Amino acid sequence: MGIKSIVLSVFEKNRLLLALLVSLTNKIHIGSNKLSVTSNHFKNNTLNFNGSGSCFTLKDNSFLRDCIVNISGCGNEVIVDENTEIYDSNRQMIHIDGNNNKIIIGKKCRIRDTSFFFRGNDNLIYIDDDCSLCGTELHIEQDNNELKILKGTSMHGRDGHYIHIALDESSRIIIGEDCMLSNGIQMRSSDSHSIVDLNRKRLNNAEDIIIGKHCWISLGAIILKGTHIADHTVVAAGAVCTKKYDTENCILAGNPAKVVKQDIDWDRKFL
């Protein structure tokens, strides 16, 4: 073990020394809110908390580096579980403006160049264990929305072609286990604006989006409100999905998307 590793180990084992290290290597303004860090891998971050009763927890052996965290409101919570890495030179952002919002990130996740945005109350982003997110924007407005990304799912935007996932109007988006999302994808549970008939009746309310397990969503696909995609589905590049697709082990393609091939599956490796 090198001298640097020995020194860092000493800091980690002593709570007062660790707190000193955290304060020296980050810009922290949290007021009466709570910061809980058990790892020395918390560096070059900026934390600004306004309000009260909020908490940021980084558990053992997890990384948080080069991140800007702005939390305004009361009772908000960010929990990063063990052995998860969140860092990137692009200064990824966690922004919360509201009350009682939660970000829960599981074990052994890899998150880079990804933003978390909340404006509203009682919202949730849950990322399960072993997920990988890169070049992704997670955007929530209004109240009581829920985004769940389940175990082993990966989503990788690149070269400015981000994956954008947006929720509004108390809706849900659930992405199943072991899914793979390519770059340039848009997934939206709401149109963000109203369409009304001539009597001013709203026609385009938000609807949940459900993606089954082991689905591959290809580059540039658009997944709109009310879409349900069955397990083991491939969504072709540029497809526009707008409804419930009950057929498993199929390929969806086109605008609007439809089943173009059945009895297929896919693998992350070249077989």
Side-chain angles (χ1 to χ4, degrees):
M1 181 182 289
I3 294 175
K4 182 178 179 181
S5 297
I6 294 172
V7 171
L8 291 176
S9 177
V10 170
F11 270 81
E12 275 199 342
K13 292 175 181 178
N14 187 300
R15 294 182 65 182
L16 291 176
L17 288 177
L18 180 60
L20 176 62
L21 181 65
V22 167
S23 65
L24 291 174
T25 56
N26 300 274
K27 297 178 181 178
I28 300 174
H29 305 281
I30 63 171
S32 61
N33 299 283
K34 183 179 179 181
L35 173 65
S36 176
V37 177
T38 59
S39 169
N40 61 60
H41 303 297
F42 189 90
K43 295 181 180 179
N44 302 324
N45 304 298
T46 300
L47 277 72
N48 293 301
F49 285 35
N50 294 297
S52 61
S54 293
C55 179
F56 192 107
T57 302
L58 186 75
K59 295 188 178 180
D60 291 351
N61 299 314
S62 285
F63 286 66
L64 190 82
R65 292 184 179 177
D66 301 308
C67 190
I68 299 172
V69 179
N70 291 319
I71 298 179
S72 297
C74 299
N76 298 294
E77 190 170 13
V78 179
I79 300 173
V80 180
D81 213 333
E82 299 173 2
N83 297 296
T84 282
E85 299 179 3
I86 307 176
Y87 61 87
D88 194 88
S89 59
N90 289 333
R91 304 292 291 177
Q92 57 193 0
M93 170 75 78
I94 297 174
H95 180 94
I96 299 175
D97 184 3
N99 303 317
N100 302 315
N101 298 289
K102 285 188 177 182
I103 299 173
I104 301 174
I105 301 174
K107 299 176 181 178
K108 299 180 181 178
C109 293
R110 301 293 178 265
I111 299 176
R112 294 175 174 82
D113 192 18
T114 291
S115 62
F116 298 76
F117 180 92
F118 291 78
R119 181 176 288 133
N121 307 312
D122 302 298
N123 297 295
L124 169 68
I125 292 177
Y126 172 80
I127 300 174
D128 207 347
D129 298 345
D130 298 305
C131 288
S132 177
L133 281 70
C134 180
T136 300
E137 299 169 336
L138 308 178
H139 189 105
I140 291 180
E141 295 198 49
Q142 298 191 44
D143 304 334
N144 298 301
N145 298 282
E146 180 178 278
L147 169 61
K148 289 186 175 181
I149 300 170
L150 300 186
K151 187 173 182 178
T153 284
S154 63
M155 47 186 71
H156 288 179
R158 59 174 60 88
D159 299 327
H161 300 287
Y162 278 65
I163 296 166
H164 184 76
I165 299 176
L167 299 90
D168 211 334
E169 301 184 89
S170 303
S171 59
R172 295 184 305 152
I173 294 180
I174 299 176
I175 302 173
E177 295 182 3
D178 190 33
C179 289
M180 183 170 69
L181 279 67
S182 184
N183 61 82
I185 291 167
Q186 291 272 332
M187 191 177 298
R188 307 181 66 90
S189 66
S190 167
D191 296 333
S192 299
H193 303 282
S194 297
I195 297 175
V196 298
D197 64 19
L198 296 182
N199 294 314
R200 306 299 294 174
K201 180 182 178 181
R202 176 82 181 273
L203 301 176
N204 67 331
N205 293 312
E207 298 179 58
D208 297 344
I209 293 173
I210 310 294
I211 309 297
K213 64 182 180 182
H214 193 66
C215 291
W216 172 10
I217 302 179
S218 302
L219 63 91
I222 298 175
I223 313 297
L224 297 178
K225 63 184 188 296
T227 295
H228 290 204
I229 294 175
D231 298 345
H232 295 261
T233 293
V234 174
V235 179
V240 180
C241 299
T242 61
K243 63 180 184 179
K244 295 182 179 179
Y245 302 91
D246 297 324
T247 305
E248 296 185 5
N249 294 93
C250 74
I251 298 176
L252 301 175
N255 180 8
K258 62 181 181 180
V259 176
V260 297
K261 192 174 182 64
Q262 298 186 47
D263 301 320
I264 62 92
D265 209 339
W266 65 276
D267 197 286
R268 292 174 183 267
K269 302 183 295 293
F270 291 108
L271 300 178

